[in-house]
Amino acid sequence: MVIHESAEDYLETILQLSKKLPVVRSIDIANEMGYKKSSVSIAMKNLREAEHITVTKEGYIYLTDSGKEIAEMIYERHQMLTSWLVRLGVDESIAEEDACRIEHDISKETFEAIKKVIQ
């Protein structure tokens, strides 16, 4: 199944917010990502239809097993790649931005090879 980069970013953001907040709502995601609430609402509808999230009647957003799996994969890639780039001497803010771009396109095989070298 193909999942778009923007969907991966939303899932990663939901995961990160769920670690900081008691519940995650669309407004929390919009504030964190700097997007309009209307854009987030459309994305949440798509993620819900793809069964990556559930949304309660109160508007609380939870990752499903598939959503959590994708979010954790992207989050791990982001953390590892950022750390690796910083160790290579890249400024932290640039490393963060570059890791965000790389995390979506890198193959599983390449990421595992980098991960092996990093650890």
Side-chain angles (χ1 to χ4, degrees), residues 82 86 90-101:
T82 300
V86 167
V90 177
D91 176 84
E92 190 168 350
S93 63
I94 293 171
E96 186 87 26
E97 290 175 23
D98 287 346
C100 195
R101 286 197 278 291

Side-chain angles (χ1 to χ4, degrees), residues 76-84 111 115 118-119:
E76 177 190 28
R77 287 177 176 206
H78 186 94
Q79 297 296 76
M80 286 255 183
L81 291 167
T82 300
S83 172
W84 180 54
F111 177 70
K115 187 174 161 181
I118 293 172
Q119 295 174 333

